[in-house]
Amino acid sequence: MTSNPYQPIRAEIKEVIAETPQIKTFVLAPEKEIGFLSGQFMQVTIPGVGEAPFTPSSDPKKNDMIEFTVMKAGQATGRLHELKSGETVGLRGPFGHPYPLDKYHGKDVYIIGGGVGIAPLRALLLALFHELERLNKIELRLGARSPEDLPFKQEMPTWGKREKTNLVVTVDRGDEKWPGKVGVVTEIMLPGDVNPEAAAAIVCGPPIMMKFAVKKLLDLGFSDKDIYLSMEKNMSCGIGKCFHCNLGKHLCCVDGPVFTWEQVKEIPDPW
Ligand SMILES: Cc1cc2nc3c(=O)[nH]c(=O)nc-3n(C[C@H](O)[C@H](O)[C@H](O)COP(=O)(O)OP(=O)(O)OC[C@H]3O[C@@H](n4cnc5c(N)ncnc54)[C@H](O)[C@@H]3O)c2cc1C
């Protein structure tokens, strides 16, 4: 981060990868190295439009390049999707609390992701792969609306081939070529996947998915403090000044974006 938290660093777009019709990964070379921890976010300046917050999707140990995987949602993301290699964006951050990886040591790590929510989880997973010897196992349960809506199509199957890692992927609607499961992601969260007494669950995805995934985790026997959520509230400054992203008594930008269910369960409709 620069000494002025409002001052963006320039970053050149080195590659744009079309993940799905709505999601692209931008591989950026910042003019200064940026260190981040998985779960932290950055404010990305899109020239002519403004800023929007995104969580890097790349390996936090890779400091020369940083990747963001972005779904087209409105004005800022729409313009970002038009940018090409060689063009420049700005980066402020990283901001916020990361996933507390040390709390996952010795445990089963149950990662539940949906749609573009798989992007921050990719950074988490790549970080966890560096410390697999400290984990009991990783169980990945990922979903998307259809096979073409799954990001990281080439890379995803390799995750399940890693030591101590199991992967199950589902889609809401399959097609004739889809060999996997069909149904919402909560349908592939089953008793026995992990030991809830010695596990941490991490959920990131659309609000409706997060809501039902938390309910399922509680039914499976998880305690509130072992469920970690990446909360995405409308953000502006990213540094706790503007109060746009308040979540009950918390500010998503400085107290989150990673929260435990214990921290947010009392908030009426935290989604
Ligand atoms: C900490 C954090 C990390 C995020 N990481 C990612 C990521 O890795 N990949 C990704 O694709 N998206 C991510 N988002 C969401 C992303 O910031 C929004 O999609 C983006 O700001 C929308 O801007 P827009 O101008 O394109 O859309 P707008 O025209 O502003 O709005 C389009 C729709 O998106 C909603 N929206 C607007 N701003 C936000 C916001 N900040 N958060 C959630 N919804 C919003 C609006 O309510 C509206 O429904 C993240 C958000 C936060 C807060």
Side-chain angles (χ1 to χ4, degrees):
M1 204 192 318
T2 58
S3 51
N4 177 354
Y6 295 104
Q7 174 73 51
I9 292 172
R10 285 163 63 91
E12 187 185 327
I13 301 175
K14 288 291 180 188
E15 194 184 349
V16 181
I17 303 160
E19 303 281 355
T20 78
Q22 294 301 323
I23 301 175
K24 287 183 176 176
T25 294
F26 297 85
V27 182
L28 307 180
E31 65 184 9
K32 284 186 208 148
E33 273 195 12
I34 293 174
F36 73 95
L37 297 169
S38 61
Q40 288 189 299
F41 71 95
M42 302 201 64
Q43 289 284 10
V44 179
T45 316
I46 299 129
V49 182
E51 285 189 325
F54 302 103
T55 311
S57 58
S58 49
D59 185 343
K61 286 219 188 300
K62 213 172 100 191
N63 284 337
D64 54 334
M65 295 277 179
I66 187 163
E67 295 172 28
F68 293 90
T69 300
V70 176
M71 188 168 76
K72 210 172 168 179
Q75 224 195 341
T77 50
R79 177 69 190 120
L80 185 60
H81 268 236
E82 290 169 3
L83 297 183
K84 307 265 178 299
S85 299
E87 294 190 87
T88 305
V89 294
L91 297 176
R92 285 198 298 129
F95 300 125
H97 283 287
Y99 292 109
L101 300 197
D102 52 330
K103 292 211 171 131
Y104 308 157
H105 293 167
K107 293 187 176 172
D108 297 344
V109 184
Y110 201 25
I111 298 179
I112 321 295
V116 77
I118 299 170
L121 296 176
R122 177 183 181 233
L124 169 69
L125 190 61
L126 297 176
L128 291 174
F129 284 156
H130 291 295
E131 38 190 78
L132 264 179
E133 73 288 352
R134 300 202 190 134
L135 307 175
N136 194 40
K137 64 168 177 169
I138 300 174
E139 291 286 343
L140 282 162
R141 299 292 179 271
L142 306 177
R145 276 177 301 181
S146 72
E148 77 163 358
D149 291 314
L150 277 168
F152 314 120
K153 287 183 191 60
Q154 308 290 322
E155 187 182 318
M156 194 179 282
T158 68
W159 298 340
K161 297 195 174 103
R162 296 291 298 243
E163 197 196 335
K164 295 188 182 181
T165 308
N166 296 309
L167 167 70
V168 183
V169 183
T170 187
V171 292
D172 298 353
R173 292 180 310 278
D175 59 27
E176 61 291 348
K177 286 187 268 154
W178 174 247
K181 309 256 183 209
V182 175
V184 293
V185 81
T186 44
E187 289 172 35
I188 54 167
M189 297 166 64
L190 301 174
D193 284 348
V194 293
N195 171 14
E197 305 282 308
I202 296 129
V203 187
C204 190
I208 187 81
M209 185 224 111
M210 304 224 340
K211 180 176 174 172
F212 285 102
V214 168
K215 190 174 176 313
K216 184 72 181 241
L217 289 166
L218 296 171
D219 290 346
L220 289 173
F222 272 82
S223 66
D224 300 342
K225 66 172 183 14
D226 294 324
I227 300 173
Y228 295 83
L229 308 164
S230 274
M231 301 300 288
E232 292 195 357
K233 292 284 137 193
N234 280 338
M235 254 177 212
S236 192
C237 70
I239 54 173
K241 304 285 182 206
C242 74
F243 286 63
H244 271 85
C245 64
N246 77 298
L247 186 60
K249 62 181 181 195
H250 307 289
L251 288 178
C252 191
C253 63
V254 287
D255 303 321
V258 175
F259 290 97
T260 61
W261 178 239
E262 188 174 44
Q263 288 174 288
V264 297
K265 69 174 182 177
E266 303 298 345
I267 300 169
D269 195 14
W271 319 110

